[in-house]
Amino acid sequence: MKTPMFGDGHGVLLWMLESTPEVDEEWNRWYNDEHVPALVEVPGVRTASRWVVSDVLVGTAPAKYLAFYELDDLGVLETDAYHRNRASLGPGMRREWTTQMLGAIVRAAGGAYRIDDTHMRGDGVGPATDLIAIGADSDVDEALRQVLDAADGISGWRTLTRAAGSPKIAGMMERDVTPSRLLLCAVDDVAAAAPALMASLPSGAASFAIAYERLLALPPHWPSMGLDSPERATPPPADRPPRGLA
């Protein structure tokens, strides 16, 4: 059975992140090979996906990449398993590499979010090929809801409110201000969906609207594309030596 793009979890961990350009290639290998598989192993983490900016529709992109984790609830982020795996302290994980790559993050926005509303069309099976993320400090009004539910190319949408006490990332040089609310649109055709969606936004309502294309989706029964591969969907063996700074 496949997992829907937006499931019935009650919390989301969402980060918009970017590393120093010099380590971008290695940082993406670490994120796909080490970090995401480690977090997917945490009880209560239902799905994970990674995305890269494909177009800036409004404003400026907070960072080049977006990572999205659906959770049973936000209590998952308080568990020993989450803190252990986030730092790569579990068996076979590469702690030194994780320490190095977390320290290479220079732009970050996001954190923990409560799920306010979710709408999917049809069976909503599998992650979309594209995502539009809109930052705003107001709720979705009825006119925008009608566009979201009717526009071509949008397979589903979800609204999020940032939770108090969102986790921080140690070592990063800059943390952008994140809007209190986010609208995520699962999109199969950005060119078809974007015009109606952008036209329906009240003037000044969005601090940014960014289109992303999918890089990675886990668990493995999600169809994947881009940087991932079957090898990258498998955690490293326990006897693999750690890499990175001591």
Side-chain angles (χ1 to χ4, degrees), residues 31-32 44 50 65 80-81 102 114 125 128 132 149-150 152 159 165 167 181 184 196 199 208 212 240 244 246:
Y31 219 117
N32 290 347
R50 289 195 68 219
Y65 302 101
D80 291 341
L102 286 175
R114 299 190 306 274
V125 168
I132 295 177
D149 289 336
D152 292 336
T159 54
R181 294 173 183 259
L184 301 181
F208 62 79
Y212 297 86
R240 181 181 293 175

Side-chain angles (χ1 to χ4, degrees), residues 169-203:
I169 298 178
M172 66 188 178
M173 297 163 55
E174 176 184 346
R175 178 167 181 163
D176 291 343
V177 176
T178 306
S180 60
R181 294 173 183 259
L182 289 173
L183 168 62
L184 301 181
C185 299
V187 176
D188 297 318
D189 186 342
V190 172
L197 183 57
M198 293 302 98
S200 67
L201 291 174
S203 178

Side-chain angles (χ1 to χ4, degrees), residues 77-119:
L77 304 179
E78 304 298 326
T79 63
D80 291 341
Y82 169 75
H83 290 290
R84 179 183 65 245
N85 285 22
R86 179 187 177 275
S88 289
L89 299 177
M93 297 178 186
R94 293 169 280 187
R95 175 179 59 83
E96 292 86 353
W97 197 19
T98 293
T99 300
Q100 181 185 13
M101 293 297 99
L102 286 175
I105 295 171
V106 293
R107 297 184 65 195
Y113 288 83
R114 299 190 306 274
I115 298 172
D116 297 323
D117 205 356
T118 300
H119 290 252

Side-chain angles (χ1 to χ4, degrees), residues 8 18 34 47 53 83 106 194:
D8 57 358
E18 194 169 323
E34 176 76 12
T47 59
V53 172
H83 290 290
V106 293

